[in-house]
């Protein structure tokens, strides 16, 4: 399978051209240690296969031009269906080998030998190798290893050892132990100048291809390239056992609730309220983006927010077009297939600053929001309406911020735990 997209936007350096960085994801393991009926890379986390989470994390990085996912022959169609179902782009599926190294080598060959004649891939300057079962990969560590690989030829993430490594003798007794302070655990991601790692695999003997597991070692052994070691974060761990699946799912749930995008108009009272809301949310939520933008004029900016896997939105308006802009945001979310897996929470806040508000018009707005919320709920988008009477002379904006913050966090929490006590289209 070969899906191609336009040139990626490079952010590493102005001198780098599109296609300079690609990634290979070995995903051909059998998952014996997991003890599940299917390989761990295809086990579901929050309804989505683990390999899809990892692929999406790499797809968010605009300067990675191509992603090669290497799977065993019997799972090629499964991987293709995952790509189609979850709308993955820039991904090519390649048949793996009988071992990890042979699978990675197959992934590299796609660039060097142009086996996909109907859709040739550009050979990258740097190639990232990352495990398909390490879903919590961030751009900062990828940037560090890629830059280090460009300077040194090879680079990889490491972490401190948490246990002492010992060697046993033939009779099962302790032979010797390693000084833990001198050693590190080799993690992923790793990055290489493409020509170096491809040459290393070409020269690799059968023993290393069949029993080796460390790519950095191949670059050192066959190309005399000493890899630069980069200290990685604790999030680089690998899903190996069944308990790891539960831990990963818990992290994903937490991440969904810890990212909120607050959207306000370009001017007016709602900008001030939006700023205070942003400050209030920051003390409770890990990542809060506050943007002042007209959706109709800057859809591209919203697309970048969505690609960052944000599933919580708060739209604040004082003008009568508030409902239309809410509809427009829903259209953007639908077109991006954001709600395919996780529910999107969208709170539309209409600040009514009029002293002569009509009760009948407010009821019409409420009815319209309720009907709209019921319709889009079928698409896994949860819309909540807050109609707030706001006196321009009021100084209690901080209290208003706390009110909206409470609504935005409670709705997702209740939904994820299977209980619903507040109906869509609520007004205050």
């Amino acid at each position: 399978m070969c899906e191609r997209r336009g040139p990626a936007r490079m952010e590493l350096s102005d001198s780098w051209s599109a296609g300079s960085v690609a990634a290979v994801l070995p995903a051909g393991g059998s998952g014996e240690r997991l003890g599940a009926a299917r390989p761990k890379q295809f086990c579901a986390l929050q309804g989505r296969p683990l390999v899809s989470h990892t692929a999406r994390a790499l797809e968010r990085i605009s300067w990675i031009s191509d992603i090669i996912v290497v799977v065993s022959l019997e799972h090629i169609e499964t991987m293709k269906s995952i790509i189609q179902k979850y709308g993955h782009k820039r991904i090519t599926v390649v048949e793996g080998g009988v071992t990890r190294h042979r699978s990675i080598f197959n992934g590299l060959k796609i660039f060097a030998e142009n086996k996909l004649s109907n859709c040739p891939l550009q050979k990258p300057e740097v190639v990232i190798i990352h495990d398909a079962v390490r879903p919590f990969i961030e751009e900062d560590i990828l940037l560090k290893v890629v830059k280090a690989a460009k300077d040194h030829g090879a680079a990889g993430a490491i972490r401190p050892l948490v246990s002492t490594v010992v060697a046993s003798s033939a009779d099962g007794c302790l032979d010797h132990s390693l000084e833990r302070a001198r050693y590190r655990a080799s993690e992923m991601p790793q990055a290489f100048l493409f020509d170096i790692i491809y040459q290393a695999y070409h020269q690799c003997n059968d023993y290393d291809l069949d029993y080796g597991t460390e790519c950095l070692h191949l670059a050192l052994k066959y190309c005399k390239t000493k890899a630069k070691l980069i200290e990685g974060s604790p999030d680089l761990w690998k899903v190996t056992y069944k308990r790891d699946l539960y831990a990963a799912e818990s992290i994903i749930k937490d991440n969904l609730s810890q990212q909120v995008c607050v959207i306000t108009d370009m001017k007016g009272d709602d900008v001030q309220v939006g700023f205070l809301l942003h400050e209030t949310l920051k003390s409770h939520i890990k990542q809060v983006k506050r943007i002042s933008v007209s959706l109709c004029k800057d859809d591209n900016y919203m697309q970048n927010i969505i690609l960052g896997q944000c599933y919580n939105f708060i739209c604040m308006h004082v003008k009568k077009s508030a409902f239309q802009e809410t509809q427009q945001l829903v259209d953007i979310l639908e077109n991006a297939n954001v709600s395919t897996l996780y529910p999107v929470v969208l709170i539309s806040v209409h600040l009514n600053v009029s002293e002569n508000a009509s009760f009948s018009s407010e009821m019409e707005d409420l009815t319209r929001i309720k009907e709209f919320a019921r319709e889009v709920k079928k698409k896994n988008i949860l819309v909540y309406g807050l109609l707030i009477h706001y006196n321009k002379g009021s100084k209690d904006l901080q209290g208003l911020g706390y009110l909206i913050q409470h609504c935005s966090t409670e709705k997702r929490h209740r939904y994820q735990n299977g209980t619903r006590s507040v109906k869509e289209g609520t007004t205050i």
Side-chain angles (χ1 to χ4, degrees):
M1 179 173 186
C2 184
E3 282 193 61
R4 304 295 294 119
R5 197 168 77 170
R9 177 175 54 87
M10 299 302 297
E11 298 173 350
L12 289 170
S13 169
D14 292 338
S15 63
W16 285 36
S17 61
S20 291
V21 182
V24 173
L25 291 181
S30 61
E32 291 181 7
R33 287 174 291 183
L34 187 72
R38 64 178 64 186
K40 56 194 172 188
Q41 59 270 28
F42 298 115
C43 288
L45 294 180
Q46 285 286 95
R48 187 188 201 117
L50 178 56
V51 64
S52 180
H53 285 283
T54 308
R56 179 57 57 85
L58 291 177
E59 283 180 321
R60 297 203 316 265
I61 317 285
S62 61
W63 44 263
I64 297 178
S65 59
D66 296 290
I67 303 167
I68 309 300
V69 179
V70 189
V71 299
S72 58
L73 177 61
E74 62 267 30
H75 292 116
I76 286 180
E77 293 305 318
T78 299
M79 190 64 220
K80 287 182 177 180
S81 66
I82 289 172
I83 291 172
Q84 183 176 10
K85 180 176 181 179
Y86 297 105
H88 289 294
K89 306 294 182 185
R90 291 180 285 165
I91 291 183
T92 301
V93 181
V94 172
E95 181 182 342
V98 295
T99 65
R100 172 182 173 81
H101 274 327
R102 292 188 185 275
S103 291
I104 293 173
F105 193 15
N106 282 0
L108 296 174
K109 288 177 182 177
I110 290 300
F111 297 107
E113 301 177 7
N114 280 327
K115 287 188 173 182
L116 295 176
S117 57
N118 62 324
C119 189
L121 301 180
Q122 179 181 344
K123 188 180 81 169
E125 180 181 354
V126 175
V127 61
I128 297 166
I129 298 177
H130 185 67
D131 290 325
V133 291
R134 297 179 191 259
F136 305 114
I137 181 70
E138 297 294 339
E139 184 172 9
D140 59 344
I141 185 63
L142 287 167
L143 193 61
K144 288 177 182 178
V145 297
V146 167
K147 285 185 174 180
K150 191 167 185 262
D151 293 336
H152 299 271
I158 57 170
R159 289 286 300 157
L161 290 173
V162 295
S163 299
T164 300
V165 178
V166 300
S168 61
S169 59
D171 60 359
C173 296
L174 176 66
D175 183 74
H176 66 277
S177 64
L178 300 180
E179 185 181 346
R180 188 170 64 184
R182 291 186 54 203
Y183 294 88
R184 293 291 183 269
S186 179
E187 305 285 355
M188 290 288 174
Q190 296 175 353
F192 305 83
L193 290 177
F194 182 86
D195 290 338
I196 286 179
I197 191 62
Y198 186 68
Q199 181 183 351
Y201 271 102
H202 247 301
Q203 298 178 7
C204 193
N205 61 41
D206 286 339
Y207 181 86
D208 283 336
L209 284 174
D210 290 336
Y211 298 102
T213 58
E214 179 54 70
C215 302
L216 297 179
H217 172 71
L218 297 185
L220 177 62
K221 180 176 180 179
Y222 293 101
C223 295
K224 309 302 181 186
T225 299
K226 292 185 177 181
K228 179 68 174 178
L229 303 179
I230 307 295
E231 194 75 24
S233 69
D235 296 331
L236 297 178
W237 55 278
K238 179 181 180 182
V239 173
T240 303
Y241 301 101
K242 187 170 289 188
R243 64 176 179 269
D244 297 330
L245 286 175
Y246 301 137
E249 189 162 50
S250 177
I251 291 173
I252 290 171
K253 283 184 177 181
D254 182 63
N255 287 344
L256 287 178
S257 299
Q258 291 298 315
Q259 297 183 59
V260 175
C261 178
V262 181
I263 305 170
T264 67
D265 289 322
M266 298 298 290
K267 58 185 178 179
D269 299 84
D270 53 334
V271 173
Q272 184 182 9
V273 177
F275 174 78
L276 290 174
L277 173 61
H278 175 260
E279 295 302 306
T280 302
L281 287 171
K282 282 199 302 186
S283 63
H284 299 276
I285 293 177
K286 189 182 302 180
Q287 184 176 357
V288 183
K289 294 184 176 71
R290 183 175 70 89
I291 62 174
S292 181
V293 64
S294 174
L295 294 179
C296 62
K297 295 180 180 178
D298 208 343
D299 285 357
N300 289 334
Y301 190 85
M302 280 304 305
Q303 291 292 347
N304 290 333
I305 295 288
I306 290 168
L307 284 175
Q309 291 191 314
C310 186
Y311 292 88
N312 304 285
F313 297 87
I314 301 174
C315 297
M316 304 192 65
H317 306 277
V318 293
K319 58 186 182 182
K320 283 297 184 180
S321 62
F323 183 69
Q324 286 76 16
E325 294 216 3
T326 299
Q327 289 178 307
Q328 189 172 1
L329 178 56
V330 168
D331 291 339
I332 293 173
L333 295 170
E334 281 189 66
N335 293 334
N337 294 319
V338 176
S339 60
T340 301
L341 176 61
Y342 307 122
V344 173
V345 173
L346 196 167
I347 300 180
S348 180
V349 181
H350 185 192
L351 300 178
N352 193 336
V353 297
S354 172
E355 297 180 357
N356 300 312
S358 168
F359 178 77
S360 60
S361 65
E362 288 181 354
M363 290 305 297
E364 289 178 4
D365 290 340
L366 175 60
T367 302
R368 184 165 47 172
I369 291 175
K370 284 185 175 180
E371 292 175 352
F372 180 66
R374 278 194 292 267
E375 185 63 29
V376 298
K377 182 182 176 184
K378 302 173 185 176
K379 303 169 184 176
N380 216 20
I381 299 176
L382 310 179
V383 174
Y384 298 86
L386 292 181
L387 181 58
I388 300 174
H389 293 281
Y390 166 62
N391 187 338
K392 287 186 177 182
S394 173
K395 296 183 180 180
D396 190 25
L397 293 176
Q398 190 73 31
L400 179 57
Y402 277 113
L403 168 65
I404 301 173
Q405 182 268 329
H406 173 76
C407 291
S408 64
T409 53
E410 282 297 307
K411 302 302 181 288
R412 178 171 293 281
H413 176 75
R414 294 176 187 275
Y415 185 87
Q416 288 182 334
N417 287 279
T419 60
R420 303 295 302 282
S421 63
V422 180
K423 295 182 178 181
E424 290 83 0
T426 301
T427 62
I428 293 179

